[in-house]
Amino acid sequence: MSFERYRELGVFLRSRRARIRPEDVGFVPGPRRRVSGLRREEVAQLAGASVDYYNELERGAGSQPSEQMLVALARALRLSRDERDYLFRLADRPVPAESGPAAHVHPGMLDLLSRLPSTPAQVITDLHVTLVQNPLAVALLGDQSGLRGERASFIRRWFTEEDARRMYPEADHAAQSRSLTADLRAAAAARGDHDREAATIIEELLDASAEFATLWTQHDVAFRRDDRKRLIHPVLGTIEVNCLNLFSEDGRQRLLWFTPALGTDSADALDMLSVIGAQDLVGGPA
């Protein structure tokens, strides 16, 4: 990166930081706040970066930020798609494809996610790639932010990795397989015949999983709009929850949030998540 690019990157980050009110992203404004927007340390916290590193970026110094850091900054600063692309170009990084874990998350989805601090919630794609999770979702389902490539899609993992099913009781596996297959058919149809991402997943699963191949021939089609499911937590045991979905306008992203199922003691279990914290549950359900 040239010095001019570094300088422009810092100017752009400062301008985006200044326009966000603390309450828009879950921070309490406080009486002694001297800036109208976010503080540098607050952006660093939202992006999972050190304060020193973020300060260097705004000063136009330091090293070239990685693609993962740029994705985190774009989400922390609630950038639009055009702003996200501009940020990547300033950093001399290729603009991410509109799929996979680096996909742009709609600012409206992020805003709703930030307003659910007491409810496990996350944003996923229509192919069940997790884009962002709140802390309670990490505590319930495990941190899925590091999954890349073929393993990013939970549908892929469900049919090809035994560990992906460990958070569901075995008695529920068949129903989950049917539901995921029907949802994938609906998502692939909505994307159209020329979408390679969905087509690749289908082709690979037809080759790798006899169970998926059998279910695919049944031609069931249904988006997963809401589910009542049982999840096995390593500390809290079996938790029965309602999983609710809010779809983006184009159907490519979904906000999922989990509420206790009526008639169960799951409310107490979900309340304990903030105490227990995140567990090593990577590979759990999306």
Side-chain angles (χ1 to χ4, degrees):
M1 287 178 60
S2 67
F3 173 78
E4 184 63 23
R5 283 289 185 91
Y6 273 121
R7 191 186 70 81
E8 286 296 327
L9 177 63
V11 171
F12 183 64
L13 290 174
R14 290 196 299 273
S15 71
R16 301 304 89 183
R17 173 170 62 85
R19 69 178 181 171
I20 300 177
R21 299 180 305 170
E23 55 268 33
D24 291 338
V25 291
F27 291 117
V28 178
R32 298 185 178 180
R33 181 172 292 269
R34 297 180 179 178
V35 294
S36 58
L38 294 180
R39 298 188 178 103
R40 292 185 181 90
E41 56 266 29
E42 291 170 336
V43 176
Q45 178 182 338
L46 291 170
S50 72
V51 177
D52 289 342
Y53 177 77
Y54 182 74
N55 284 340
E56 289 184 352
L57 289 179
E58 282 207 2
R59 289 199 305 267
S63 59
Q64 181 186 26
S66 67
E67 294 180 22
Q68 291 85 351
M69 178 52 61
L70 293 171
V71 168
L73 288 171
R75 293 173 181 173
L77 294 169
R78 302 297 194 264
L79 300 187
S80 68
R81 183 173 299 175
D82 291 338
E83 291 171 333
R84 188 279 311 263
D85 293 352
Y86 180 66
L87 178 67
F88 269 77
R89 293 188 176 101
L90 284 178
D92 201 21
R93 295 287 189 184
V95 175
E98 288 306 318
S99 60
H104 175 70
V105 182
H106 192 286
M109 289 284 192
L110 285 174
D111 180 60
L112 287 172
L113 185 68
S114 70
R115 297 176 188 276
L116 296 171
S118 60
T119 301
Q122 60 186 21
V123 179
I124 69 171
T125 73
D126 55 339
L127 300 180
H128 292 252
V129 174
T130 301
L131 300 177
V132 60
Q133 300 171 281
N134 71 8
L136 288 184
V138 174
L140 178 64
L141 306 171
D143 186 356
Q144 301 169 10
S145 61
L147 297 172
R148 295 290 184 270
E150 294 182 355
R151 299 195 67 240
S153 169
F154 177 66
I155 295 179
R156 261 200 185 110
R157 299 198 306 279
W158 177 263
F159 286 104
T160 60
E161 299 180 17
E162 185 177 349
D163 282 349
R165 303 190 178 203
R166 63 180 176 170
M167 286 191 67
Y168 283 107
E170 187 173 355
D172 299 347
H173 288 183
Q176 292 297 331
S177 294
R178 289 194 299 272
S179 179
L180 285 169
T181 304
D183 186 84
L184 177 57
R185 184 178 287 279
R191 285 180 170 230
D193 295 336
H194 300 295
D195 184 83
R196 287 308 307 162
E197 186 184 14
T200 298
I201 291 179
I202 294 168
E203 291 166 3
E204 292 178 354
L205 289 180
L206 287 172
D207 183 61
S209 171
E211 178 189 22
F212 177 82
T214 298
L215 291 170
W216 193 251
T217 62
Q218 296 176 12
H219 293 272
D220 291 336
V221 53
F223 283 116
R224 297 185 77 169
R225 302 186 186 279
D226 56 80
D227 284 308
R228 180 160 173 162
K229 60 177 65 177
R230 295 184 296 169
L231 303 174
I232 302 174
H233 192 277
V235 177
L236 300 174
T238 300
I239 306 174
E240 194 162 356
V241 297
N242 298 310
C243 178
L244 307 172
N245 293 253
L246 176 66
F247 288 66
S248 62
E249 291 182 2
D250 62 2
R252 292 290 187 101
Q253 294 182 10
R254 308 171 187 180
L255 174 66
L256 275 60
W257 70 99
F258 301 84
T259 62
L262 295 177
T264 72
D265 58 359
S266 297
D268 292 336
L270 291 180
D271 287 341
M272 286 295 295
L273 286 177
S274 59
V275 178
I276 293 173
Q279 303 292 323
D280 183 14
L281 302 177
V282 171

